[in-house]
Amino acid sequence: MDRNLQECLQGTESGKYILPFFWQHGEPQEILLEEIEAMERANIREFCVESRPYEAFGRESWWNDFGFMLREAEKRGMRVWLLDDQHFPSGYANGYVKDHPECRKTLARMEYRDFVGPRTHMKLIVPELAEDERLITVTAFRRERDGHEFVGEPVDLLDKVHEGMVRWDIPEGYWRVYFIIRTHHLDFYKDNVDLITKEGSDAMLKAVYEPHYEHFSKYFGNTFVGFFSDEPAFGNGKHYEVKLGNNQFPIPWRDDLPELMAACGKGTTEEGGEELTAEKVRIALPMLFHQDQEGRYHSLRLHYMDVITRLYSELFTKRIGNWCRDHGVLYIGHIIEDMENHQRMGAGAGHFFRALQYQDMGGMDVVHQQISPGMLDIDRRAHGWGEIAIPDFFNYYLAKLPTSLAHLTPRMNHRAMCEIFGAYGWAEGVPMQKMLADHMLSNGINYFVPHAFSPKYPDPDCPPHFYARGMNPQIEAFGCLMKYMRRGAHLISDGIHRAPVALLYTPEAEWADGKLLFGRRAGRELTRAQLDFDILWEDMLPSVEVRETEGKKCLYADPETYGALVIPESEYLSQKMIQELQRFIDSGVTVVVTGEGEKILSPRPAEKKEGEPLRGCSFVKLSELAGWLRSRGLYEITLSPAVPTVRYHELTREGKDIYFFYSEDIFHEARFTVKLKKEAGYRLYDPWTNQLYQPRQNGSEVDLYLPKGGAIFLIEDDSNAPAFDYMETPTEEFTIENLKVSACPSKGEFREIEAKIGDDVTDLPGMERFCGTIRYEFTAELTGTEKKLFLGYVGEIAKVSLNGKHLGYMASEPYAVEIGNAVCSGKNEFVIDIVNNLAHRERDRYSTQLPIPPSGLLGPVKIR
């Protein structure tokens, strides 16, 4: 038997996979202890302390409180993480910048003026500069009369600046004069450190990391596990569209950027064939702010983004990550990835993989209803800056970013983390949380940071809060969910992921401002055809080998193997990337460019004079991509009949195959036969009940049944196990006698109410804001041969006891429980507790985006 499966069945799996946020506001230590004990009862063995906000962070009371939490965790065999700043986003450095201005962000802002010539002996007023601002360049571009296209070569006017005036004989025609200004002034993130200088990471280390080591070094590497970095960003804007060509925002700057950009483009030439130099970069800087309709400055934009994302990686993430590892702890976290922000500036870090590559886990978050069960393929209203959630990105691409990084970075050892559940509102009960967890498990996420335990109630800050000072009636069921997620995470850890194809990460195409198809569109087509994938990025391509596997040329990126590489439709990529892609094609690997138009764009380098488009790749319409790949044998599994809403994750461990299947369809059950590549014995495993079952199997074909929104493991194993219940046997209603219904609010007592099975209790007079447990007690005459109880429609968590024996919690379809070991011949006594959620009482603003489930046992209750 697989060792991880055996540990799950024995209850000895590791507790390391779940580390919820534990918010701090300066509460008394007895309240902190109450929350720690609640976490322990909820089957949680680690937690991540977050100051949200704790104004005394890094002062005496903080050291007392954090020390208290470390000691209490040590007593219980628990482990502790720390979010690495006074508040998010990371980079505030606990206010360090206010006293150390050398660490503040340096930016370049732009102003422009339009003029017409010919006119001689003209003087142009330089824009007003703050005391600490200075000009980087003054450049004139000739404009066409209509539109904003520029023609000819830029004119350098910097040496014509004198006493606040530009002295210039304006040539004939229309001209736009750009003033690029070095500044420290910013309306947002103004107190955060500069992430592309050594001083920025030094500030974080001096203000947060080193003081914690000085106070608590004895815990480092044992009770204290590591630091969590939360959403650090370039911070030159605060929404999802901060990218080059948008003149509303300044851009990150260093005085040596022209030299670094010229070095980045070494060996490339401009339109006129001349070598790129730092001076040419400086004169052309306005084209980082303006739409480049002629495409003359694609390479300039690519070099700029290439340089600043590498600086971020090397001078921020790498330096902090190395410090952590040198001190025996881990460095994890995530950036804001939303709506393609993972490859942009502003609230992003420009390049997902570079931003996180020196951490110890791949990382992401999902908040603000960005993934909503049932809302798979339609744009919808959501909280957050964009107010719209694009389903292709959140459902089919986002989670693949951290899991791909984890699979392909040896130091990460396949550890991929998701901060989950936060800011969904109280309407997000355990059933919805389970579906979100299943979505992540099916993408390979195996570490979770539930958001959040808050010792404050009521707390309007991004609910739900899992204990809420005892006011959340779902806390016991939440503990069952934590066991479920831990078992699932354990089963998909410590192995090698298997995917038939890889998908190319192409932020360079957007940086260069060319036409492109975002990878999320290809991700959707692959996922809905059960073609799993990892995402490859430019920096790792040189290390990817071409090997022959089963008679086919494949890409080998240690330890992963892919039979094909899919490139989203792109107009411009870097010359270095083009060379590596051409190497793959020339070696016989299947490389396919996919898009939507009749003419799918072949990627070509941004340095147009130095390269050619890809030669020898295939071009396939997006709608035909999955069929094209399958026709060439590039798949691992086949579902019959096809079920687009079923997704899966596959790995091998010690030569045995493990699959996790999840149905995203919350309205229909899924019945299908899965044909596997290997003929072997297989067993089904349900992490919720911790039970192993034997499926129907014919050679390499296995029948599967998934209830609405259901999930299950299929594991190569031949252990003895009972037959799996495919829910094909009819159920029947039975006579319920002596029904008594009572209700108990959170932290209250039960009182009998006038209700029956089928009533939504919160529709009853005086019960509109009820939140707690509704208890149904009744008797029934049974034969003693009955095997299963079906509750029907439940709102929204059920706990069943039969004849005094607790049979477990249910938080998902089909709300059925085995009763064979508790039922008897004759009179049977049932107690069914139904727990609703706090949205009925709190009605928070986040819950306005979700439908609120009913409250109670709506049935019909049946037996089999």
Side-chain angles (χ1 to χ4, degrees):
M1 177 180 285
D2 174 76
R3 68 179 187 276
N4 288 32
L5 173 60
Q6 188 171 38
E7 288 167 356
C8 287
L9 292 169
Q10 294 172 346
T12 59
E13 75 277 1
S14 172
K16 64 186 178 181
Y17 304 106
I18 314 290
L19 47 139
F21 282 146
F22 181 17
W23 291 357
Q24 304 299 306
H25 314 88
E27 288 84 2
Q29 291 181 359
E30 57 267 25
I31 292 179
L32 301 182
L33 179 59
E34 180 184 341
E35 291 284 330
I36 292 172
E37 290 173 341
M39 285 187 257
E40 188 176 25
R41 290 193 301 272
N43 304 301
I44 291 166
R45 299 293 174 263
E46 302 189 5
F47 56 87
C48 182
V49 178
E50 176 182 355
S51 172
R52 191 179 176 95
Y54 190 114
E55 294 303 328
F57 181 81
R59 298 181 217 160
E60 193 60 34
S61 64
W62 172 260
W63 304 128
N64 289 335
D65 287 345
F66 192 61
F68 170 79
M69 288 181 277
L70 286 169
R71 292 191 298 274
E72 289 299 327
E74 184 180 40
K75 289 178 189 176
R76 293 164 170 75
M78 301 174 77
R79 303 200 304 174
V80 179
W81 300 73
L82 175 66
L83 194 140
D84 70 345
D85 220 327
Q86 182 180 346
H87 56 69
F88 79 97
S90 294
Y92 178 66
N94 199 22
Y96 192 84
V97 172
K98 295 176 183 177
D99 297 322
H100 298 83
E102 71 278 6
C103 302
R104 60 184 171 169
K105 294 180 183 296
T106 301
L107 303 144
R109 67 179 180 90
M110 182 270 287
E111 293 192 26
Y112 68 86
R113 311 284 188 264
D114 289 317
F115 302 97
V116 64
R119 296 182 185 182
T120 60
H121 302 290
M122 293 293 105
K123 295 181 179 67
L124 315 179
I125 300 174
V126 173
E128 184 177 356
L129 304 180
E131 184 177 349
D132 57 351
E133 291 184 327
R134 65 172 176 80
L135 290 172
I136 298 171
T137 188
V138 182
T139 307
F141 286 82
R142 185 188 294 274
R143 287 182 54 192
E144 292 285 3
R145 177 168 180 165
D146 297 322
H148 297 278
E149 295 184 10
F150 298 92
V151 296
E153 295 301 311
V155 178
D156 184 8
L157 300 178
L158 186 61
D159 62 354
K160 300 183 181 299
V161 176
H162 182 70
E163 295 295 328
M165 293 282 197
V166 181
R167 298 178 178 180
W168 186 34
D169 293 335
I170 304 175
E172 182 179 1
Y174 298 95
W175 293 84
R176 175 162 291 176
V177 178
Y178 286 93
F179 301 86
I180 308 300
I181 301 162
R182 182 184 189 273
T183 185
H184 294 293
H185 297 271
L186 191 62
D187 294 332
F188 22 72
Y189 298 100
K190 60 183 178 180
D191 292 324
N192 281 32
V193 301
D194 196 327
L195 303 185
I196 60 173
T197 66
K198 176 178 174 291
E199 288 75 16
S201 54
D202 280 346
M204 289 294 296
L205 293 173
K206 291 175 182 177
V208 178
Y209 289 74
E210 291 173 359
H212 281 85
Y213 184 73
E214 291 168 6
H215 282 82
F216 304 114
S217 60
K218 70 177 182 178
Y219 294 107
F220 271 53
N222 44 78
T223 300
F224 183 69
V225 194
F227 292 90
F228 187 106
S229 175
D230 195 26
E231 302 177 0
F234 284 128
N236 58 313
K238 200 173 181 180
H239 66 70
Y240 301 143
E241 293 296 325
V242 182
K243 52 187 177 180
L244 297 180
N246 187 336
N247 60 24
Q248 299 177 54
F249 300 98
I251 60 175
W253 182 255
R254 283 173 40 141
D255 291 339
D256 59 352
L257 271 183
E259 287 75 19
L260 295 173
M261 290 168 63
C264 180
K266 187 175 182 181
T268 66
T269 59
E270 293 185 310
E271 188 75 17
E274 298 180 2
E275 187 78 14
L276 184 67
T277 65
E279 185 61 18
K280 290 183 179 295
V281 168
R282 182 183 63 80
I283 297 171
L285 287 176
M287 290 301 100
L288 298 180
F289 294 88
H290 199 285
Q291 291 298 322
D292 178 19
Q293 296 181 7
E294 288 189 343
R296 296 173 57 193
Y297 295 96
H298 287 314
S299 61
L300 182 80
R301 295 174 179 218
L302 195 150
H303 298 330
Y304 172 82
M305 292 298 297
D306 197 23
V307 167
I308 67 166
T309 54
R310 291 182 188 279
L311 288 171
Y312 177 106
S313 180
E314 294 290 325
L315 298 181
F316 190 76
T317 313
K318 184 178 182 179
R319 296 187 77 242
I320 295 176
N322 285 346
W323 184 96
C324 287
R325 289 180 283 274
D326 288 344
H327 291 78
V329 294
L330 301 179
Y331 180 49
I332 67 172
H334 75 99
I335 60 172
I336 292 183
E337 314 90 358
D338 309 356
M339 312 282 274
E340 310 300 348
N341 201 64
H342 58 90
Q343 62 188 41
R344 295 172 182 163
M345 298 178 289
H351 190 294
F352 178 88
F353 296 99
R354 290 177 186 168
L356 299 184
Q357 66 177 332
Y358 292 112
Q359 294 192 352
D360 294 297
M361 296 183 190
M364 62 166 284
D365 81 347
V366 57
V367 294
H368 294 296
Q369 303 99 24
Q370 291 164 340
I371 295 175
S372 183
M375 301 285 282
L376 301 180
D377 297 301
I378 186 169
D379 292 356
R380 58 185 178 79
R381 177 74 165 82
H383 282 290
W385 294 331
E387 296 189 344
I388 296 293
I390 297 177
D392 288 352
F393 176 76
F394 292 110
N395 289 337
Y396 304 113
Y397 193 74
L398 171 57
K400 285 299 182 181
L401 292 167
T403 55
S404 299
L405 179 62
H407 294 158
L408 297 167
T409 306
R411 179 183 60 259
M412 294 185 179
N413 194 27
H414 286 228
R415 294 179 299 223
M417 176 275 299
C418 176
E419 177 190 325
I420 195 167
F421 305 149
Y424 267 68
W426 284 113
E428 179 202 33
V430 168
M432 180 182 237
Q433 291 168 356
K434 180 182 179 296
M435 284 188 279
L436 290 173
D438 286 336
H439 174 95
M440 295 304 161
L441 289 167
S442 70
N443 279 283
I445 295 290
N446 56 355
Y447 282 77
F448 296 92
V449 180
H451 181 306
F453 277 85
S454 174
K456 174 181 174 182
Y457 182 83
D459 187 351
D461 189 354
C462 299
H465 307 124
F466 309 123
Y467 179 59
R469 301 295 312 281
M471 296 303 291
N472 185 355
Q474 296 193 359
I475 184 62
E476 288 187 26
F478 181 78
C480 295
L481 177 65
M482 294 301 98
K483 276 188 180 180
Y484 173 86
M485 291 166 62
R486 192 172 70 210
R487 292 167 183 154
H490 194 53
L491 282 175
I492 65 169
S493 299
D494 309 318
I496 298 175
H497 171 237
R498 284 177 57 177
V501 299
L503 180 64
L504 188 66
Y505 186 61
T506 57
E508 296 86 355
E510 184 178 57
W511 295 350
D513 200 29
K515 297 177 181 177
L516 78 155
L517 179 90
F518 288 116
R520 65 176 187 254
R521 302 297 301 279
R524 178 187 184 277
E525 297 302 311
L526 295 171
T527 300
R528 291 177 64 82
Q530 290 82 45
L531 295 173
D532 198 8
F533 62 93
D534 276 329
I535 301 171
L536 305 186
W537 61 101
E538 178 186 317
D539 301 342
M540 68 165 304
L541 295 184
S543 66
V544 175
E545 302 175 19
V546 176
R547 294 186 178 181
E548 188 165 308
T549 303
E550 299 178 355
K552 296 179 181 178
K553 292 296 180 67
C554 298
L555 297 178
Y556 177 73
D558 188 19
E560 307 287 324
T561 301
Y562 312 103
L565 177 63
V566 176
I567 304 174
E569 182 177 14
S570 306
E571 187 173 20
Y572 291 107
L573 298 177
S574 73
Q575 178 63 37
K576 291 179 288 186
M577 182 180 282
I578 292 289
Q579 291 170 348
E580 294 298 334
L581 298 176
Q582 195 65 58
R583 172 171 68 91
F584 300 153
I585 296 170
D586 295 344
S587 299
V589 176
T590 299
V591 175
V592 54
V593 178
T594 187
E596 295 181 319
E598 289 295 327
K599 182 181 179 182
I600 297 170
L601 297 173
S602 175
R604 56 178 174 169
E607 304 85 359
K608 293 189 290 185
K609 294 296 181 180
E610 288 298 309
E612 298 294 332
L614 283 178
R615 304 179 308 276
C617 59
S618 299
F619 297 87
V620 178
K621 288 184 181 180
L622 190 63
S623 60
E624 300 170 359
L625 175 63
W628 189 91
L629 291 168
R630 281 190 168 274
S631 70
R632 286 154 177 78
L634 293 165
Y635 59 90
E636 290 289 331
I637 66 171
T638 301
L639 271 54
S640 180
V643 190
T645 52
V646 168
R647 58 199 311 158
Y648 82 105
H649 180 75
E650 177 186 1
L651 70 151
T652 61
R653 184 166 45 242
E654 297 180 349
K656 294 192 175 183
D657 293 343
I658 298 159
Y659 301 86
F660 180 72
F661 289 91
Y662 166 53
S663 173
E664 296 184 298
D665 191 337
I666 65 173
F667 303 107
H668 307 92
E669 57 186 23
R671 297 181 182 273
F672 56 91
T673 298
V674 57
K675 183 175 178 57
L676 309 170
K677 284 290 185 75
K678 182 194 292 188
E679 185 172 331
Y682 290 92
R683 295 295 179 265
L684 294 170
Y685 172 70
D686 180 356
W688 187 271
T689 61
N690 200 25
Q691 294 292 317
L692 200 65
Y693 302 98
Q694 183 170 340
R696 291 196 301 246
Q697 181 176 349
N698 181 15
S700 63
E701 297 184 351
V702 180
D703 290 345
L704 289 185
Y705 161 74
L706 296 174
K708 303 170 187 177
I712 201 156
F713 277 92
L714 179 64
I715 300 176
E716 187 178 343
D717 187 85
D718 57 4
S719 302
N720 290 329
F724 180 70
D725 185 358
Y726 285 88
M727 298 291 179
E728 295 167 330
T729 305
T731 60
E732 59 184 38
E733 295 191 42
F734 60 100
T735 302
I736 291 174
E737 300 175 340
N738 306 314
L739 175 65
K740 174 185 173 184
V741 183
S742 54
C744 175
S746 304
K747 285 191 170 182
E749 297 180 352
F750 280 100
R751 64 177 179 86
E752 193 167 351
I753 61 173
E754 290 293 328
K756 61 184 182 300
I757 294 173
D759 289 341
D760 180 345
V761 169
T762 48
D763 283 345
L764 301 178
M767 299 289 286
E768 294 84 357
R769 288 185 176 269
F770 174 80
C771 175
T773 302
I774 305 120
R775 176 166 291 173
Y776 300 80
E777 300 173 84
F778 58 85
T779 60
E781 287 284 338
L782 301 174
T783 65
T785 61
E786 293 82 2
K787 300 296 183 185
K788 212 161 199 173
L789 178 71
F790 296 80
L791 299 184
Y793 191 12
V794 172
E796 67 178 339
I797 294 168
K799 180 174 74 170
V800 176
S801 295
L802 175 56
N803 297 324
K805 185 168 185 174
H806 173 56
L807 301 181
Y809 276 97
M810 290 168 280
S812 61
E813 293 281 353
Y815 286 97
V817 63
E818 301 283 349
I819 62 172
N821 62 351
V823 70
C824 67
S825 176
K827 181 184 291 187
N828 287 260
E829 297 183 353
F830 288 84
V831 178
I832 301 174
D833 286 346
I834 307 297
V835 184
N836 69 351
N837 68 47
L838 266 170
H840 293 280
R841 181 190 304 156
E842 296 298 336
R843 304 184 184 186
D844 62 284
R845 68 185 182 92
Y846 297 95
S847 293
T848 61
Q849 302 291 338
L850 300 172
I852 313 301
S855 301
L857 179 57
L858 281 72
V861 180
K862 296 184 178 182
I863 207 159
R864 190 179 69 201

